[in-house]
Amino acid sequence: MKKILLALIFISLIVLPSCMVIAGVDLSRKLIIEAIGIDKQDGIIAVSLQTLDTHSAGSGSDASSGEDVVKIYVFTGKSVGEALSQVQSTTGLMPLYSQARVIVLGMELAKEDISEPLDFFLRENNVRSDILIAVAENEAYKIVTADLGSSMPDAVIIEDTLNYGSDNGFTPCVKLYNFMNYALSKTDAAFCPIIGLEKSADPELKEPKVIGTAFFKHNALSFTVDTELTRGSMFLADEIKKTSFTVEGNEGVYTLEVTSSNTRIDTDINENGFIFKINVTLKCDISEFLSGDFNQVGEKETKDAENAGKDHLTKLITKSFDKIYTENHADICRYYRRVLLKYPSSANTFLENMFISGFVNTEINVKIEIRRAGKENS
């Protein structure tokens, strides 16, 4: 299943020996870590590692297979550091964290203080600055060890799933360092995708799937939302790069392709308190128009599409705002930081009443501009 991967590693070990040295250590003596899963049960931390064993790949043995190259290890301890201290003594290889693509937190672990389990990776200087973080639907072990049936490391498939969702407006794609900056904040909320597994065409294989978003306050998972409200929250947080959605207007059904999105939040204050205006501006193409009458889309239809899209997104963003702010008191728009910068003398007052009356005067405005009645060539 992983013969292509095996061949590439084997060729590189033969052809590029001078490149196979990192920090004075031959790469064949490194355990290349691709994905990391962290779970906790009965007070014990379990760290699952999806790895590439280059020692096996470069041994030249005919018995080596793709399954020999991609190996799963599980280490346990009272902390992540204690668990991972066993890597070299167990495998005979030095752990290389710089290739790790994603850290997956188990759902039960995420509900506790996550600063301790993640502290090791924040201090380990070989961890990539752009390593992604996600929460597993259940156990992180199941995500990291799932057989996704690819000729490349399964960690690449997980990473691609998260990147694709982010690029198309389905899910946030969150880097560890950005996540922790907000998770450790006393006022801001952090968020990251929830990833699960579904059956693929081959019943013996699985496919990763983003099923929602996890929101964190005070270092712990506070609540989750589904994929619909995830998109609304991404508009709020100005995380949308591009996406598409379908709406029904008076003249027909439109599929709008978002080519650009910008969310601006204006902050003001008067005798009634703080006023926030969330302004979402989109430029869209009409990628499909279903009207029962095959004709050119004119000014009437364009205006109809803009109005239908505006109504749809205003309702979605308002619904997400109510779920995140009104119901769960999570600040993903960084309201407090905005008040602190613009009205520093009033910041403490705002903070005291932040989730009581602080967001009452919030106005959500959506503006859509249709650029063309057709999809631009990509």
Side-chain angles (χ1 to χ4, degrees), residues 135-373:
V135 171
E137 181 181 16
N138 295 300
E139 298 175 17
Y141 170 83
K142 292 181 179 180
I143 303 296
V144 172
T145 63
D147 187 352
L148 305 181
S150 173
S151 60
M152 61 184 68
D154 294 332
V156 177
I157 306 301
I158 297 173
E159 181 185 40
D160 287 348
T161 299
L162 298 176
N163 282 324
Y164 176 83
S166 174
D167 291 342
N168 291 276
F170 304 133
T171 181
C173 191
V174 184
K175 298 175 183 178
L176 173 64
Y177 291 94
N178 294 338
F179 173 81
M180 289 306 298
N181 282 338
Y182 292 128
L184 295 174
S185 168
K186 294 181 179 180
T187 59
D188 296 332
F191 54 89
C192 70
I194 303 172
I195 191 166
L197 296 170
E198 64 178 2
K199 292 182 179 180
S200 68
D202 186 336
E204 295 184 359
L205 303 177
K206 300 288 186 179
E207 291 181 355
K209 181 180 181 180
V210 175
I211 61 172
T213 300
F215 289 81
F216 291 75
K217 296 190 301 180
H218 309 301
N219 305 340
L221 190 151
S222 177
F223 64 99
T224 63
V225 302
D226 59 18
T227 52
E228 178 192 18
L229 293 186
T230 290
R231 182 176 295 191
S233 68
M234 291 180 68
F235 276 111
L236 283 171
D238 199 20
E239 293 284 338
I240 293 289
K241 299 175 184 177
K242 65 177 182 178
T243 189
S244 63
F245 59 96
T246 300
V247 294
E248 183 173 358
N250 295 325
E251 305 300 323
V253 177
Y254 307 88
T255 298
L256 301 184
E257 194 87 16
V258 178
T259 57
S260 71
S261 173
N262 175 261
T263 300
R264 189 187 74 251
I265 300 178
D266 297 328
T267 308
D268 205 350
I269 188 172
N270 60 21
E271 65 276 5
N272 296 319
F274 292 94
I275 300 172
F276 299 97
K277 292 184 178 180
I278 301 176
N279 302 297
V280 181
T281 303
L282 307 178
K283 291 184 178 180
C284 301
D285 296 339
I286 299 177
S287 61
E288 186 176 46
F289 175 48
L290 306 177
S291 66
D293 180 18
F294 185 76
N295 60 1
Q296 185 73 21
V297 177
E299 183 178 352
K300 181 181 179 181
E301 290 79 15
T302 298
K303 191 66 177 178
D304 184 44
E306 290 177 346
N307 290 335
K310 174 182 176 180
D311 182 62
H312 170 78
L313 287 184
T314 300
K315 289 178 180 178
L316 174 61
I317 296 171
T318 300
K319 186 177 180 181
S320 297
F321 182 91
D322 290 342
K323 176 71 174 180
I324 296 167
Y325 278 89
T326 308
E327 183 178 335
N328 289 288
H329 298 174
D331 184 14
I332 64 170
C333 295
R334 324 304 172 201
Y335 274 9
Y336 173 71
R337 296 191 186 200
R338 297 174 188 276
V339 172
L340 184 62
L341 288 173
K342 192 170 183 179
Y343 303 105
S345 61
S346 302
N348 288 336
T349 301
F350 174 77
L351 185 59
E352 291 172 1
N353 300 288
M354 190 172 176
F355 293 107
I356 300 174
S357 59
F359 306 120
V360 173
N361 297 319
T362 293
E363 178 182 323
I364 297 174
N365 301 304
V366 176
K367 179 181 178 181
I368 294 180
E369 176 189 343
I370 302 297
R371 302 191 314 160
R372 57 171 58 84

Side-chain angles (χ1 to χ4, degrees), residues 38-152:
I38 311 174
D39 293 294
K40 187 175 183 180
Q41 186 174 11
D42 299 328
I44 299 298
I45 294 288
V47 183
S48 308
L49 302 180
Q50 183 187 125
T51 72
L52 300 180
D53 185 350
T54 56
H55 180 73
S56 296
S59 64
S61 172
D62 292 336
S64 295
S65 66
E67 285 71 17
D68 292 328
V69 175
V70 178
K71 291 187 176 181
I72 302 296
Y73 296 95
V74 180
F75 302 94
T76 60
K78 295 180 180 179
S79 68
V80 170
E82 181 178 292
L84 293 179
S85 67
Q86 307 166 45
V87 172
Q88 188 167 357
S89 61
T90 301
T91 66
L93 301 169
M94 295 178 62
L96 182 63
Y97 297 103
S98 62
Q99 302 305 304
R101 301 170 183 273
V102 60
I103 296 175
V104 182
L105 303 177
M107 181 62 74
E108 291 306 312
L109 172 76
K111 295 176 182 178
E112 302 183 14
D113 188 334
I114 58 170
S115 60
E116 291 187 7
L118 293 176
D119 182 80
F120 175 89
F121 303 103
L122 293 173
R123 298 179 188 278
E124 171 58 53
N125 61 7
N126 286 321
V127 172
R128 285 167 50 171
S129 61
D130 61 346
I131 189 171
L132 303 180
I133 186 164
V135 171
E137 181 181 16
N138 295 300
E139 298 175 17
Y141 170 83
K142 292 181 179 180
I143 303 296
V144 172
T145 63
D147 187 352
L148 305 181
S150 173
S151 60
M152 61 184 68

